[in-house]
Amino acid sequence: MSKSEAIARWWNQGRNRALLFQVLLILGTVLFFFLIGANALGNLEQQGITSGFAFLSQKAGFGIIQTLVSYNESSTYARTFLVGLLNTILISVLGIICATVLGFLVGVARLSSNWLIAKLAAIYIEIFRNLPLLLQVFFWYFAVLRALPLPRNSLHIGNWFFLNIRGIYIPRPLPEQGFALLGMIFLMSIAGVCALKIYARKYQEKTGTELPILSASLAIFIIPSAITWFATGRPLYWELPSLQGLNFKGGMVVIPELAALLLALTVYTSSLIAEIVRSGILSVSHAQTEAARSLGLPQRKILRLVVIPQAMRVMIPQMTSQYLNLVKNSSLATAIGYPDLVSVFAGTSLNQTGQAIEIIAMTMAVYLTINLTISWLMNQYNARVLLQEQ
Amino acid sequence: MTRAHISHPDLPPPLISVGVVGWLRRNLFSTPLNTLLTLGAFYVLYRLLPPMVNWALLDADWAGTGREACSGEGACWVFVRLRFIHFMVGFYPESELWRPVAAFGLAGFLLLYLLLNHLPYKGWVAGFTIFGFPFIAFFLFYGGLFGLPVVETHQWGGLMLTLILSTVGMLFALPLGTLLALGRRSSMSVARALSVVFIELWRGVPLITVLFMSSVLLPLFMPDGIRLDKLLRALIGISLFQSAYMAEVIRSGLQAVPKGQYEAADALGLSYWKAMLLIILPQALKTVIPGIVNTFIELFKDTTLVLIIGLFDLLATVQGSFTDSKWLGFTTEGYIFAGLIYWMFCFSMSRYSHHLEKKLHTGH
């Protein structure tokens, strides 16, 4: 057997070819990263930038318009990172809640037997899902919120809520003495409701009788808390915003950047969620509803026990990707100056320090972590609602 | 004694359940809740629609050559009319305008040819559209050949740039995404692992960070002396990002091909690549065409983000025109115009994808 024949024979075995290919793939990848790494080091050296994470303990020296933790201009870049991260989480959580609620409403309205309501929901969906999100963010921020009046002529509801070009002013709750007790009582009633639920389920399994959980849990929720509320002398003080000079003092303010971003994210994502809800509900076979009705279940229970659980199965994977998209889309904040992670860290901090590789790697790592966490949580939930097949 | 049975003539259905009244009762006022909802919706429409129509159409200013023309209460479409060419092509020199017009005219003609049914030589036209047309379009836009003056990429803008970004992103994402999808389903563990990491990494981060990365990091990764054009950097970022999404769409198509097809290809003794190219991929791609159209719509909307790294696509051009001191205060008109264009593109594409879904639904 000649040498070339041996090579041909070796080559003709699929396993060997695969092995060779994979070795080449690994070598190629390593070479690629080595090359760009070497280039990057050389280029950074030329620009006089030292790599590493030492910059995180340097003074940032710029202000941020909304911070959830204490922050000032002498704080470090690590603090900047934390502020941006918390702001990103804030807008994501608010966005997910609002978009889910609105999306469910619109999705159900789209299926309404009322022709007008169904058509309006369809128009809402078709308009907002076919416009770029950034355009919507700009529209709310530059066209709608900028058209609001100055603080002096604020739109208002009583002297509680004020809406003007500087943002939305709402009362700020200030806990007083005795509030901790109220909180403890409230937590205890939640525990009580959970215990009641477990007991009621056991009771129903044993005797077949359903206990009136809803009214009982409402009572457990409200009565002890209400008694404590009055007994401790209403320990929550609402600080009202009031106009002083040119601007409002006191209360809480939702900055216009947050409001515009939240509006845009909510409206855009809800139009996509609405379609998911609709497809989920439509995917439940009509025979299921009919079977439930023939068992004598009331309409409310048909929805809660038969339709929604089955619709959930179809909806959850798609909802998960909408939530992930919403978190990623919250980075559009940077276009209007809401201080999220991308804006304050990958934007301002990057420009000031020039630590491009570290900062972009950290930013990407944060989004990857948040998204992996959300999809892990949703997959746990998904596994619970999945069809148990034999 | 028997009574003769006299049949009555058929009575028409009660007026209240047919015609307009019947329709209204069935669809708008069937229950008290529905009645309430209908009335509420009518009230909202009454408060919203007339002012909107007045502002956008009846009270609007259409004719004129400057700001003076816009004194009315309504919208000032003069602003949009005078800026129209700028919104379409950005700072492309006016004397060379025929070039983008010719390129887009040719693109429109090719698309129309491909979309209409029952036309001959579609395969050849499709091949030319994918492999020939991009080069023609590039030389028309950029120039430099046959005595056409060069137009640098920083002068490209407006809708033209939006279309370039999304179609180029798509053209590169399709083959790369196909490779990644095949890699993800491959039996070779290294290829599979690399594909999975690549796909999940790009899909897990926002496009903005990808664009930041391509604009800040790519120059760092390049060897000394190689400078990448700003547009080119954005295109690289968008293509990589898009190919990860495309890979998942194509993977779902690959999963939809019945196992028998893979086995049949093996039984014929076809090599891996022959089996994929001739048997599996044609079927897989056909089933996911609607999915591909949908990712294209997403990409089309996402290209707006390039304004953050300083490229002037349609939205950025419109946004930039607000800072013109002669035309301050026409934000709403500008956004509505841009929105209308984006909406027309996205809506017609999504209708087309619905149509394809129906047409390709063969049912196994």
Side-chain angles (χ1 to χ4, degrees), chain A residues 21-22 39-40 43 46 113-115 126-127 129-132 134-135 138 142 268 328 331 342 356 368 371, chain B residues 27-28 34 38 188-190 203-206 208 212 216 220-224 245 301 315 319 335 339 343:
Chain A
F21 179 73
Q22 300 199 60
N39 284 337
N43 284 327
Q46 250 181 11
S113 61
N114 185 320
W115 181 86
E126 289 300 351
I127 288 182
R129 73 167 180 180
N130 283 318
L131 288 176
L134 188 60
L135 180 90
F138 281 158
F142 290 112
Y268 179 75
K328 286 186 279 171
S331 61
V342 173
L368 275 176
N371 279 350
Chain B
N27 293 304
L28 296 179
N34 264 344
T38 306
M188 294 184 278
S189 46
V190 174
R203 287 193 339 139
V205 298
I208 288 192
F212 267 129
V216 185
L220 276 183
F221 291 153
M222 287 294 139
D224 226 9
Y245 280 85
K301 287 187 287 181
L315 183 59
Q319 178 89 348
Y335 286 132
W343 190 84

Side-chain angles (χ1 to χ4, degrees), chain B residues 92-342:
Chain B
Y92 210 86
E94 218 163 304
S95 55
E96 305 294 322
L97 265 187
W98 65 271
R99 284 155 50 178
V101 171
F104 282 111
L106 183 57
F109 172 75
L110 289 172
L111 269 185
L112 203 65
Y113 195 94
L114 289 174
L115 294 186
L116 289 178
N117 292 326
H118 313 301
L119 286 174
Y121 307 118
K122 268 205 177 164
W124 290 101
V125 177
F128 174 71
T129 311
I130 295 176
F131 298 108
F133 174 71
F135 296 101
I136 297 179
F138 176 76
F139 283 118
L140 274 174
F141 290 144
Y142 187 75
L145 277 189
F146 306 115
L148 290 178
V150 169
V151 181
E152 293 290 342
T153 53
H154 63 81
Q155 288 172 293
W156 303 8
L159 181 63
M160 169 183 150
L161 190 69
T162 298
L163 289 170
I164 291 176
L165 285 166
S166 42
T167 41
V168 173
M170 198 62 185
L171 274 180
F172 280 97
L174 256 179
L176 195 55
T178 312
L179 272 183
L180 285 167
L182 288 176
R184 193 165 186 166
R185 284 175 56 82
S186 150
S187 55
M188 294 184 278
S189 46
V190 174
R192 198 169 55 231
L194 284 177
S195 308
V196 171
V197 169
F198 183 95
I199 294 171
E200 296 304 334
L201 208 68
W202 292 115
R203 287 193 339 139
V205 298
L207 180 55
I208 288 192
T209 59
V210 174
L211 289 173
F212 267 129
M213 195 185 98
S214 57
S215 78
V216 185
L217 287 192
L218 267 186
L220 276 183
F221 291 153
M222 287 294 139
D224 226 9
I226 295 188
R227 301 201 62 78
L228 288 181
D229 186 78
K230 198 158 145 192
L231 177 62
L232 185 63
R233 278 182 267 157
L235 280 174
I236 293 175
I238 287 180
S239 304
L240 292 176
F241 183 78
Q242 187 66 11
S243 62
Y245 280 85
M246 194 53 74
E248 287 300 275
V249 173
I250 293 172
R251 180 163 78 115
S252 72
L254 288 173
Q255 284 174 349
V257 177
K259 208 171 160 225
Q261 298 286 329
Y262 288 87
E263 289 164 353
D266 280 345
L268 285 175
L270 293 180
S271 72
Y272 175 79
W273 287 109
K274 269 197 175 155
M276 283 302 154
L277 286 177
L278 298 176
I279 298 188
I280 307 298
L281 276 177
Q283 300 183 57
L285 288 178
K286 195 180 159 191
T287 54
V288 291
I289 287 179
I292 293 177
V293 178
N294 286 341
T295 52
F296 185 73
I297 298 175
E298 293 302 312
L299 174 63
F300 187 80
K301 287 187 287 181
D302 277 349
T303 53
T304 48
L305 300 188
V306 294
L307 82 82
I308 285 162
I309 56 167
L311 285 175
F312 278 83
D313 75 321
L314 175 59
L315 183 59
T317 315
V318 172
Q319 178 89 348
S321 70
F322 300 147
T323 52
D324 184 344
S325 52
K326 276 187 290 180
W327 288 98
L328 286 179
F330 294 107
T331 4
T332 315
E333 285 90 337
Y335 286 132
I336 287 180
F337 174 72
L340 211 60
I341 291 186
Y342 281 110

